[in-house]
Amino acid sequence: MDYSQFLSVVSAAREENVIKVTNSLAQKKPSVIMISGGMPNPNYFPFKTASFTLQDGTTIEIGEALMKRILQYSSTEGIPEFLSWLRDLQMSLHNPPTANYTPDQGQMEISVIIGSQDSLSKVFEILVNPGDNVLLEDPSYPGTLSALEPLGCNIIKVPTDKHSIIPKLLYTVPNGNNPAGTSLTADCKKKLYQTCSYDFLITEDDPYYFLQIEKINIHLCLFVFLSHTLRLGFLTGPKPLIDRVILHMQSSTITSTFTPVKLLHKWGQKGLLEPVDRVMEFYRTQRDAMLAAADKWLKGLAEWNIPTAGMFLWIKIKRISNIYQIITENALERGIGKDLMMGKQLNFMVDLLFLTLL
């Protein structure tokens, strides 16, 4: 596929930052002093060593040599050891066929990111021009809207199983949508993937992959944003597009290499994935308690679907066109926290909120 057709005008005009290139070379050859990169002398960094105690009582020690490295500027895409670990994780979990593609064909590429919001902003800015059509699930994550709206695109809110026009980009949260709590079925994912034959991109934002109460291992594998308990993030996608994201980061982000590399190497994939069942059982219990409260207090007064992943239950109140005042005034007066989502609907995150509507 010719991915250049999807680039925004700004992204297509962007060129490599020479300073960032020298930083990348410095990462590959730490013994070489790169004056052009503007990297400070690590002997004057304030931290020399560090020790972290894990929940199981074991410790991770960061010696002076490693501390100098992790406090220094890094290559834009992330330090090589971390990227290698993430590639192994992606291959183990998903084994995407694109891993064996050539770069021009859309070979799988990975870049470490600051967080999902930063990555969403960069992905949209490399792809979206004013006037482009972008499909979004309705309701959709507010952070996505805040990243898209300034770009001047046509945001089209549609259910995930109906497409009225052929867009340039579809953004979807496949598991435990925030705030709707919905998850795409395996059949729906296959249908969405088939639409790629019409030459548009699917951006998959999947922070709740490990919180699937009913596990379905079918993924679109174009972009993946992952936030697990470590609060780390990485971006996976076709190399021609990830390279453009990296170019964007070269001109907007100066990063250090302070990432949980040492912890991940200590844990390995097994150590990272072992707590998943325990965490998933906790959220299943929380979900069931939340559903029980909804059934007890709101049956007949509201509508909701049973979430199969994530942390969110989206509730639509019947016979009330606008619950803004109820939530902002009644709930606040009773000392109950609130989470406003798009004015007329509410994402309930704690059981006590149900009492506000009685």
Side-chain angles (χ1 to χ4, degrees):
M1 179 182 288
D2 178 16
Y3 288 98
S4 63
Q5 64 180 306
F6 298 108
L7 297 180
S8 66
V9 173
V10 172
S11 180
R14 199 181 298 279
E15 296 183 353
E16 199 166 37
N17 185 329
V18 177
I19 294 177
K20 289 295 185 180
V21 175
T22 60
N23 287 351
S24 297
L25 292 174
Q27 284 289 316
K28 295 176 182 178
K29 292 185 177 295
S31 61
V32 177
I33 299 175
M34 291 288 184
I35 299 176
S36 60
M39 290 182 282
N41 189 322
N43 291 325
Y44 291 92
F45 289 159
F47 299 103
K48 279 185 171 288
T49 63
S51 177
F52 298 92
T53 302
L54 305 183
Q55 196 170 30
D56 62 4
T58 61
T59 60
I60 292 177
E61 304 291 338
I62 297 180
E64 188 171 350
L66 180 58
M67 182 62 76
K68 287 179 178 179
R69 188 180 177 199
I70 63 180
L71 293 179
Q72 189 60 274
Y73 294 143
S74 71
S75 56
T76 306
E77 61 272 24
I79 64 174
E81 296 93 327
F82 192 24
L83 292 171
S84 177
W85 197 96
L86 291 174
R87 286 191 181 93
D88 290 342
L89 179 68
Q90 288 292 75
M91 294 302 297
S92 176
L93 291 177
H94 309 299
N95 192 26
T98 54
N100 299 317
Y101 286 10
T102 64
D104 291 342
Q105 290 175 321
Q107 181 185 51
M108 182 188 80
E109 185 61 280
I110 295 178
S111 176
V112 178
I113 55 176
I114 295 176
S116 63
Q117 189 64 46
D118 181 61
S119 64
L120 285 174
S121 176
K122 287 180 169 59
V123 167
F124 293 148
E125 288 186 18
I126 72 162
L127 297 175
V128 178
N129 288 309
D132 281 344
N133 298 317
V134 178
L135 288 183
L136 289 185
E137 297 160 325
D138 187 20
S140 191
Y141 177 50
T144 301
L145 295 172
S146 68
L148 276 173
E149 287 172 344
L151 301 180
C153 59
N154 300 318
I155 298 175
I156 305 166
K157 299 179 181 180
V158 295
T160 56
D161 59 350
K162 295 180 182 180
H163 308 286
S164 57
I165 66 170
I166 298 175
K168 180 176 186 179
L169 174 67
L170 167 65
Y171 167 83
T172 180
V173 180
N175 299 300
N177 178 292
N178 176 0
T182 55
S183 298
L184 302 183
T185 64
D187 184 58
C188 185
K189 290 178 182 180
K190 291 177 181 178
K191 290 179 179 178
L192 283 175
Y193 195 76
Q194 290 170 357
T195 60
C196 288
S197 61
Y198 294 100
D199 280 342
F200 79 94
L201 298 177
I202 301 173
T203 298
E204 180 186 50
D205 185 356
D206 200 7
Y208 307 115
Y209 171 75
F210 290 111
L211 292 182
Q212 295 183 67
I213 297 172
E214 298 176 10
K215 204 67 172 288
I216 301 175
N217 288 312
I218 296 180
H219 290 266
L220 307 177
C221 292
L222 288 182
F223 291 101
V224 176
F225 308 100
L226 172 65
S227 289
H228 194 29
T229 53
L230 296 173
R231 308 306 299 172
L232 62 87
F234 65 94
L235 179 64
T236 304
K239 183 173 176 56
L241 296 182
I242 298 299
D243 286 346
R244 284 286 150 181
V245 172
I246 292 172
L247 286 182
H248 187 152
M249 293 169 65
Q250 287 179 355
S251 64
S252 64
T253 307
I254 297 179
T255 61
S256 74
T257 59
F258 196 81
T259 57
V261 180
K262 191 131 182 160
L263 175 60
L264 292 176
H265 277 287
K266 179 181 177 67
W267 276 353
Q269 291 185 26
K270 183 179 179 181
L272 176 69
L273 299 177
E274 272 183 348
V276 168
D277 289 339
R278 177 168 52 86
V279 173
M280 187 172 63
E281 183 59 34
F282 168 79
Y283 279 103
R284 181 188 287 112
T285 301
Q286 295 295 97
R287 179 202 65 173
D288 292 345
M290 190 160 52
L291 289 171
D295 190 62
K296 178 179 180 179
W297 299 107
L298 295 176
K299 191 171 184 178
L301 301 175
E303 299 174 351
W304 62 87
N305 295 314
I306 299 176
T308 59
M311 304 181 293
F312 303 95
L313 177 64
W314 181 270
I315 294 179
K316 182 177 181 180
I317 308 300
K318 295 180 179 179
R319 299 188 297 275
I320 301 179
S321 61
N322 192 336
I323 63 170
Y324 185 87
Q325 182 178 353
I326 294 176
I327 301 305
T328 57
E329 296 182 10
N330 296 36
L332 196 61
E333 288 174 0
R334 301 185 189 190
I336 299 174
K338 62 185 184 304
D339 186 10
L340 296 175
M341 292 290 177
M342 302 170 195
K344 294 185 179 181
Q345 291 177 303
L346 178 69
N347 173 28
F348 290 97
M349 298 182 66
V350 291
D351 294 348
L352 287 177
L353 279 174
F354 298 129
L355 303 177
T356 314
L357 302 173
L358 298 180

mmCIF file of all heavy atoms in Angstrom, residues 30 33 39-48 64-73:
data_model
loop_
_atom_site.group_PDB
_atom_site.id
_atom_site.type_symbol
_atom_site.label_atom_id
_atom_site.label_comp_id
_atom_site.label_asym_id
_atom_site.label_seq_id
_atom_site.Cartn_x
_atom_site.Cartn_y
_atom_site.Cartn_z
ATOM 1 N N PRO A 30 27.601 4.437 22.856
ATOM 2 C CA PRO A 30 27.719 5.278 24.054
ATOM 3 C C PRO A 30 29.123 5.786 24.326
ATOM 4 O O PRO A 30 29.302 6.788 25.017
ATOM 5 C CB PRO A 30 27.256 4.331 25.176
ATOM 6 C CG PRO A 30 26.460 3.265 24.483
ATOM 7 C CD PRO A 30 27.077 3.103 23.133
ATOM 8 N N ILE A 33 31.552 10.591 22.097
ATOM 9 C CA ILE A 33 31.024 11.860 22.588
ATOM 10 C C ILE A 33 30.469 12.653 21.421
ATOM 11 O O ILE A 33 31.212 13.047 20.512
ATOM 12 C CB ILE A 33 32.117 12.677 23.304
ATOM 13 C CG1 ILE A 33 32.651 11.888 24.507
ATOM 14 C CG2 ILE A 33 31.572 14.034 23.752
ATOM 15 C CD1 ILE A 33 33.813 12.557 25.194
ATOM 16 N N MET A 39 24.244 17.284 24.136
ATOM 17 C CA MET A 39 23.997 16.460 25.320
ATOM 18 C C MET A 39 24.937 16.870 26.458
ATOM 19 O O MET A 39 26.141 16.962 26.259
ATOM 20 C CB MET A 39 24.168 14.982 24.973
ATOM 21 C CG MET A 39 23.061 14.473 24.061
ATOM 22 S SD MET A 39 23.195 12.713 23.672
ATOM 23 C CE MET A 39 24.494 12.770 22.436
ATOM 24 N N PRO A 40 24.391 17.088 27.650
ATOM 25 C CA PRO A 40 25.216 17.537 28.770
ATOM 26 C C PRO A 40 26.147 16.443 29.276
ATOM 27 O O PRO A 40 25.932 15.255 29.023
ATOM 28 C CB PRO A 40 24.176 17.914 29.834
ATOM 29 C CG PRO A 40 22.975 17.093 29.492
ATOM 30 C CD PRO A 40 22.966 16.988 28.000
ATOM 31 N N ASN A 41 27.158 16.863 30.005
ATOM 32 C CA ASN A 41 28.107 15.921 30.589
ATOM 33 C C ASN A 41 27.413 15.133 31.697
ATOM 34 O O ASN A 41 26.980 15.702 32.696
ATOM 35 C CB ASN A 41 29.301 16.681 31.165
ATOM 36 C CG ASN A 41 30.426 15.749 31.593
ATOM 37 O OD1 ASN A 41 30.183 14.672 32.122
ATOM 38 N ND2 ASN A 41 31.662 16.179 31.371
ATOM 39 N N PRO A 42 27.297 13.792 31.550
ATOM 40 C CA PRO A 42 26.541 13.005 32.533
ATOM 41 C C PRO A 42 27.187 12.959 33.907
ATOM 42 O O PRO A 42 26.530 12.596 34.886
ATOM 43 C CB PRO A 42 26.501 11.606 31.893
ATOM 44 C CG PRO A 42 27.678 11.563 30.983
ATOM 45 C CD PRO A 42 27.826 12.954 30.456
ATOM 46 N N ASN A 43 28.468 13.334 34.007
ATOM 47 C CA ASN A 43 29.116 13.329 35.315
ATOM 48 C C ASN A 43 28.526 14.377 36.261
ATOM 49 O O ASN A 43 28.762 14.330 37.469
ATOM 50 C CB ASN A 43 30.619 13.585 35.162
ATOM 51 C CG ASN A 43 31.320 12.421 34.495
ATOM 52 O OD1 ASN A 43 30.954 11.270 34.695
ATOM 53 N ND2 ASN A 43 32.314 12.724 33.673
ATOM 54 N N TYR A 44 27.768 15.318 35.712
ATOM 55 C CA TYR A 44 27.195 16.368 36.533
ATOM 56 C C TYR A 44 25.687 16.191 36.725
ATOM 57 O O TYR A 44 25.008 17.094 37.206
ATOM 58 C CB TYR A 44 27.506 17.733 35.921
ATOM 59 C CG TYR A 44 28.980 18.071 36.021
ATOM 60 C CD1 TYR A 44 29.847 17.736 34.993
ATOM 61 C CD2 TYR A 44 29.496 18.682 37.163
ATOM 62 C CE1 TYR A 44 31.206 18.017 35.091
ATOM 63 C CE2 TYR A 44 30.843 18.968 37.268
ATOM 64 C CZ TYR A 44 31.696 18.623 36.226
ATOM 65 O OH TYR A 44 33.039 18.897 36.336
ATOM 66 N N PHE A 45 25.148 15.039 36.347
ATOM 67 C CA PHE A 45 23.743 14.762 36.622
ATOM 68 C C PHE A 45 23.546 14.608 38.132
ATOM 69 O O PHE A 45 24.415 14.074 38.828
ATOM 70 C CB PHE A 45 23.282 13.477 35.913
ATOM 71 C CG PHE A 45 23.158 13.619 34.420
ATOM 72 C CD1 PHE A 45 23.191 12.499 33.606
ATOM 73 C CD2 PHE A 45 22.995 14.858 33.826
ATOM 74 C CE1 PHE A 45 23.062 12.618 32.228
ATOM 75 C CE2 PHE A 45 22.865 14.988 32.459
ATOM 76 C CZ PHE A 45 22.903 13.864 31.658
ATOM 77 N N PRO A 46 22.429 15.052 38.681
ATOM 78 C CA PRO A 46 22.245 15.047 40.141
ATOM 79 C C PRO A 46 22.053 13.658 40.750
ATOM 80 O O PRO A 46 22.356 13.457 41.918
ATOM 81 C CB PRO A 46 20.986 15.901 40.345
ATOM 82 C CG PRO A 46 20.247 15.789 39.056
ATOM 83 C CD PRO A 46 21.290 15.703 37.990
ATOM 84 N N PHE A 47 21.533 12.694 39.974
ATOM 85 C CA PHE A 47 21.288 11.363 40.515
ATOM 86 C C PHE A 47 22.399 10.408 40.087
ATOM 87 O O PHE A 47 22.765 10.357 38.916
ATOM 88 C CB PHE A 47 19.940 10.817 40.028
ATOM 89 C CG PHE A 47 18.769 11.651 40.457
ATOM 90 C CD1 PHE A 47 18.148 12.503 39.550
ATOM 91 C CD2 PHE A 47 18.297 11.588 41.759
ATOM 92 C CE1 PHE A 47 17.070 13.285 39.933
ATOM 93 C CE2 PHE A 47 17.221 12.364 42.151
ATOM 94 C CZ PHE A 47 16.610 13.217 41.244
ATOM 95 N N LYS A 48 22.909 9.636 41.031
ATOM 96 C CA LYS A 48 23.964 8.672 40.729
ATOM 97 C C LYS A 48 23.434 7.250 40.631
ATOM 98 O O LYS A 48 23.734 6.526 39.686
ATOM 99 C CB LYS A 48 25.064 8.730 41.804
ATOM 100 C CG LYS A 48 26.058 9.866 41.619
ATOM 101 C CD LYS A 48 27.161 9.769 42.661
ATOM 102 C CE LYS A 48 28.275 10.771 42.336
ATOM 103 N NZ LYS A 48 29.057 10.367 41.164
ATOM 104 N N GLU A 64 25.454 3.416 38.578
ATOM 105 C CA GLU A 64 25.852 4.734 38.104
ATOM 106 C C GLU A 64 25.927 4.807 36.583
ATOM 107 O O GLU A 64 25.498 5.790 35.976
ATOM 108 C CB GLU A 64 27.207 5.112 38.717
ATOM 109 C CG GLU A 64 27.622 6.547 38.437
ATOM 110 C CD GLU A 64 28.841 6.957 39.230
ATOM 111 O OE1 GLU A 64 29.251 6.201 40.128
ATOM 112 O OE2 GLU A 64 29.379 8.049 38.942
ATOM 113 N N ALA A 65 26.458 3.761 35.944
ATOM 114 C CA ALA A 65 26.597 3.778 34.487
ATOM 115 C C ALA A 65 25.235 3.836 33.805
ATOM 116 O O ALA A 65 25.017 4.616 32.864
ATOM 117 C CB ALA A 65 27.380 2.546 34.020
ATOM 118 N N LEU A 66 24.295 3.019 34.292
ATOM 119 C CA LEU A 66 22.960 3.014 33.696
ATOM 120 C C LEU A 66 22.229 4.314 33.996
ATOM 121 O O LEU A 66 21.506 4.844 33.148
ATOM 122 C CB LEU A 66 22.160 1.817 34.207
ATOM 123 C CG LEU A 66 20.725 1.688 33.662
ATOM 124 C CD1 LEU A 66 20.739 1.607 32.141
ATOM 125 C CD2 LEU A 66 20.031 0.471 34.256
ATOM 126 N N MET A 67 22.426 4.861 35.197
ATOM 127 C CA MET A 67 21.767 6.115 35.548
ATOM 128 C C MET A 67 22.207 7.245 34.625
ATOM 129 O O MET A 67 21.394 8.078 34.209
ATOM 130 C CB MET A 67 22.067 6.478 37.009
ATOM 131 C CG MET A 67 21.366 7.748 37.483
ATOM 132 S SD MET A 67 19.561 7.626 37.444
ATOM 133 C CE MET A 67 19.273 6.618 38.907
ATOM 134 N N LYS A 68 23.482 7.285 34.295
ATOM 135 C CA LYS A 68 23.963 8.309 33.363
ATOM 136 C C LYS A 68 23.253 8.175 32.017
ATOM 137 O O LYS A 68 22.934 9.173 31.368
ATOM 138 C CB LYS A 68 25.473 8.177 33.168
ATOM 139 C CG LYS A 68 26.297 8.642 34.354
ATOM 140 C CD LYS A 68 27.784 8.463 34.082
ATOM 141 C CE LYS A 68 28.607 8.968 35.256
ATOM 142 N NZ LYS A 68 30.067 8.788 35.014
ATOM 143 N N ARG A 69 23.024 6.937 31.629
ATOM 144 C CA ARG A 69 22.403 6.717 30.320
ATOM 145 C C ARG A 69 20.925 7.085 30.325
ATOM 146 O O ARG A 69 20.426 7.712 29.380
ATOM 147 C CB ARG A 69 22.569 5.256 29.914
ATOM 148 C CG ARG A 69 22.128 4.990 28.492
ATOM 149 C CD ARG A 69 22.305 3.541 28.106
ATOM 150 N NE ARG A 69 21.800 3.303 26.766
ATOM 151 C CZ ARG A 69 21.488 2.124 26.294
ATOM 152 N NH1 ARG A 69 21.642 1.049 27.036
ATOM 153 N NH2 ARG A 69 21.022 1.991 25.064
ATOM 154 N N ILE A 70 20.217 6.710 31.378
ATOM 155 C CA ILE A 70 18.778 6.944 31.369
ATOM 156 C C ILE A 70 18.420 8.409 31.619
ATOM 157 O O ILE A 70 17.300 8.840 31.323
ATOM 158 C CB ILE A 70 18.050 6.047 32.392
ATOM 159 C CG1 ILE A 70 18.485 6.367 33.818
ATOM 160 C CG2 ILE A 70 18.264 4.589 32.078
ATOM 161 C CD1 ILE A 70 17.793 5.521 34.863
ATOM 162 N N LEU A 71 19.351 9.200 32.162
ATOM 163 C CA LEU A 71 19.093 10.630 32.347
ATOM 164 C C LEU A 71 19.516 11.465 31.144
ATOM 165 O O LEU A 71 19.243 12.658 31.083
ATOM 166 C CB LEU A 71 19.809 11.139 33.602
ATOM 167 C CG LEU A 71 19.294 10.604 34.944
ATOM 168 C CD1 LEU A 71 20.111 11.171 36.083
ATOM 169 C CD2 LEU A 71 17.812 10.931 35.123
ATOM 170 N N GLN A 72 20.148 10.830 30.185
ATOM 171 C CA GLN A 72 20.607 11.525 28.988
ATOM 172 C C GLN A 72 19.511 11.530 27.925
ATOM 173 O O GLN A 72 18.560 10.742 27.982
ATOM 174 C CB GLN A 72 21.879 10.826 28.445
ATOM 175 C CG GLN A 72 22.598 11.536 27.327
ATOM 176 C CD GLN A 72 23.069 12.915 27.720
ATOM 177 O OE1 GLN A 72 22.294 13.868 27.611
ATOM 178 N NE2 GLN A 72 24.317 13.029 28.176
ATOM 179 N N TYR A 73 19.621 12.435 26.952
ATOM 180 C CA TYR A 73 18.704 12.409 25.824
ATOM 181 C C TYR A 73 18.782 11.052 25.137
ATOM 182 O O TYR A 73 19.836 10.432 25.059
ATOM 183 C CB TYR A 73 19.059 13.485 24.799
ATOM 184 C CG TYR A 73 18.871 14.904 25.288
ATOM 185 C CD1 TYR A 73 19.761 15.904 24.904
ATOM 186 C CD2 TYR A 73 17.809 15.256 26.105
ATOM 187 C CE1 TYR A 73 19.601 17.217 25.327
ATOM 188 C CE2 TYR A 73 17.637 16.555 26.530
ATOM 189 C CZ TYR A 73 18.537 17.531 26.142
ATOM 190 O OH TYR A 73 18.368 18.815 26.566
#
